[in-house]
Amino acid sequence: MDPTVNPSARGMIPPPREELTALTSLRGMAAVLVMFHHFMNVLLKDSMAIEPTKLIYKSYLWVDLFFILSGFVLAYVYHTHFLEGVRGRSYWRFMQARFARIYPLHFFMLSVFLGYEGLQWLLSHQHVAGMMHLSEPFTAGQSTSSLLTNLFLVQTLHWRAYWNEPAWSISAEWLIYFTLPFVMFALLRLRAQWFGVVAFTALIPLVLIESHFGDLGLYFAGWPMLFRCLCEAILGMLAFRCYQQGLLRNLASGRLVLPVLLLNLLILALPGPGVPSVMGFVWLVLCAARLSPHQPHLLNSPLPVYLGKISYSVYLVHWLFLDLVRDGFLFFTGLPVHQALTAGAQIGLLVILSVLVIGVSELSYRWIEAPMRSRLKPGSRRQ
């Protein structure tokens, strides 16, 4: 038996553990870069043309870092609870905690998108002139059927993302959560000599997806995203096992975190497939996990850690601003943003949107995400 297991804690919520702040900072950086990717690739297309590398274009791959981080952090928090098996009480509390983490803000943002679609429906039925430039409300991707799949967090099974589009990845994570305690149990009992074999096997579906579709999910969703999410969560759990057992200390130490981060940015900046970035992200997560939270370091400084705290809000809030600006320009000018504004003006708009998103994300984190998570998580006492 693992001596770190507290038998009296089995079936209960995980004991408090020290936050690995460098991982929190990585999550914040990833959320901001995904936001830049969406704003520049979808909305401000001339600003994307100015960017001389592939860094922003390939920054959709930072979602893969989210999946890897999920695997690592869940193993870090729950490894004592699924070491000897998956029991009903532990499993239920795990799922309850995951629901409390992701669903309240998702539901709130979906409600906002529904209200926005309802406003467009009212304007359309009032025959407001600008509505002729917009899609008919509650049709195509924004249908009532896709609203229901979003409500039940199964929208990643669509081949496209609808409503709050980044939430496809939240759906993928939610669906694989049902399997992760069993995967964790298997990996926690895996001997170290098999780590490489399992990691190689987990990369095979990612290679097949990218070989068949041309990328890892830039313009599509669907069932391949479940394999993408699950395989990368497995890689994150394997990184945790290396962290737990002190493996690869010289190759993946805390002092290497900045060089490895820069290497990952370089890989993204260059043309090429996405799977090497996934491999680089695993290396980066292991290095960052070994950086002491008490050590003076860029990734332990207040701003990156703060962005990490609100990263989930940034991720779910920013698409609303994208929709509002895209539809607003079409409504008032009949032109998409990149035709209505110069490249320089688009860069200015990118800055303004980013500041607005971070400001609103602070509010959504403080008033929705954090309090609802505390209220719904296992062991909470309702007032």
Side-chain angles (χ1 to χ4, degrees):
M1 180 185 294
D2 188 333
T4 64
V5 175
N6 177 4
S8 66
R10 293 180 195 132
M12 305 302 289
I13 58 175
R17 288 182 172 82
E18 185 174 47
E19 179 184 3
L20 303 176
T21 52
L23 297 184
T24 303
S25 294
L26 288 181
R27 185 180 290 110
M29 182 184 71
V32 169
L33 284 168
V34 170
M35 175 180 69
F36 286 167
H37 166 78
H38 285 151
F39 282 158
M40 296 173 69
N41 192 48
V42 177
L43 189 67
L44 310 169
K45 297 182 179 181
D46 290 341
S47 65
M48 176 71 85
I50 294 174
E51 208 271 306
T53 74
K54 294 291 184 179
L55 175 61
I56 299 300
Y57 179 77
K58 290 171 63 179
S59 280
Y60 80 96
L61 291 167
W62 289 102
V63 173
D64 298 270
L65 179 70
F66 292 149
F67 295 151
I68 294 165
L69 280 170
S70 287
F72 185 100
V73 172
L74 290 175
Y76 177 72
V77 173
Y78 287 95
H79 68 277
T80 60
H81 300 274
F82 299 118
L83 177 64
E84 296 181 350
V86 181
R87 296 175 176 84
R89 180 178 171 87
S90 295
Y91 183 83
W92 166 246
R93 294 176 79 86
F94 170 83
M95 292 303 299
Q96 185 183 353
R98 303 324 303 154
F99 179 86
R101 175 70 178 90
I102 68 172
Y103 195 77
L105 185 60
H106 166 70
F107 179 78
F108 175 80
M109 290 306 303
L110 184 61
S111 300
V112 174
F113 275 89
L114 177 60
Y116 177 51
E117 198 75 5
L119 174 62
Q120 292 184 65
W121 182 85
L122 288 174
L123 294 176
S124 178
H125 279 70
Q126 293 295 322
H127 305 291
V128 176
M131 291 302 299
M132 64 182 295
H133 302 297
L134 303 181
S135 300
E136 183 69 22
F138 295 105
T139 62
Q142 311 296 87
S143 64
T144 52
S145 61
S146 64
L147 177 64
L148 288 174
T149 57
N150 273 265
L151 184 64
F152 290 104
L153 273 178
V154 295
Q155 71 268 30
T156 198
L157 299 177
H158 294 297
W159 282 95
R160 292 287 303 274
Y162 303 121
W163 295 90
N164 191 5
E165 296 196 15
W168 72 264
S169 67
I170 310 305
S171 167
E173 285 212 41
W174 171 248
L175 292 174
I176 72 156
Y177 284 156
F178 289 91
T179 71
L180 287 190
F182 303 97
V183 174
M184 196 183 307
F185 167 66
L187 293 180
L188 287 172
R189 304 181 75 84
L190 188 69
R191 294 184 180 275
Q193 58 262 37
W194 289 100
F195 288 2
V197 175
V198 176
F200 179 79
T201 304
L203 287 171
I204 292 175
L206 303 179
V207 172
L208 293 176
I209 290 170
E210 188 162 35
S211 298
H212 181 76
F213 293 99
D215 55 65
L216 280 175
L218 180 57
Y219 295 116
F220 66 93
W223 59 263
M225 297 301 96
L226 296 179
F227 285 95
R228 177 185 177 190
C229 182
L230 177 60
C231 290
E232 290 167 358
I234 289 172
L235 292 172
M237 290 183 181
L238 288 172
F240 168 76
R241 290 302 314 278
C242 293
Y243 168 86
Q244 182 188 43
Q245 297 194 8
L247 302 177
L248 305 175
R249 279 194 170 275
N250 293 329
L251 184 63
S253 66
R255 61 185 173 80
L256 292 177
V257 65
L258 281 184
V260 173
L261 174 58
L262 292 174
L263 178 61
N264 274 275
L265 292 172
L266 177 62
I267 294 171
L268 287 169
L270 297 174
V275 173
S277 288
V278 174
M279 299 166 64
F281 289 155
V282 177
W283 187 13
L284 177 62
V285 166
L286 185 54
C287 290
R290 285 178 169 153
L291 181 67
S292 169
H294 309 291
Q295 179 180 338
H297 194 278
L298 175 64
L299 293 182
N300 289 332
S301 57
L303 180 58
V305 173
Y306 167 74
L307 290 175
K309 293 284 189 185
I310 66 168
S311 60
Y312 185 54
S313 283
V314 170
Y315 188 70
L316 285 190
V317 163
H318 77 271
W319 197 267
L320 176 65
F321 284 85
L322 188 153
D323 260 3
L324 290 172
V325 173
R326 177 171 55 185
D327 292 349
F329 270 81
L330 289 172
F331 183 90
F332 289 108
T333 71
L335 296 173
V337 178
H338 69 279
Q339 292 182 15
L341 297 179
T342 65
Q346 290 177 47
I347 295 294
L349 182 56
L350 174 65
V351 173
I352 293 170
L353 286 173
S354 300
V355 172
L356 288 173
V357 167
I358 290 172
V360 173
S361 296
E362 160 66 21
L363 296 176
S364 65
Y365 174 79
R366 180 174 298 184
W367 295 103
I368 300 166
E369 181 187 343
M372 289 304 297
R373 180 171 66 222
S374 297
R375 183 176 177 83
L376 296 176
K377 70 180 181 181
S380 65
R381 293 183 178 180
R382 298 184 181 181
Q383 300 298 322

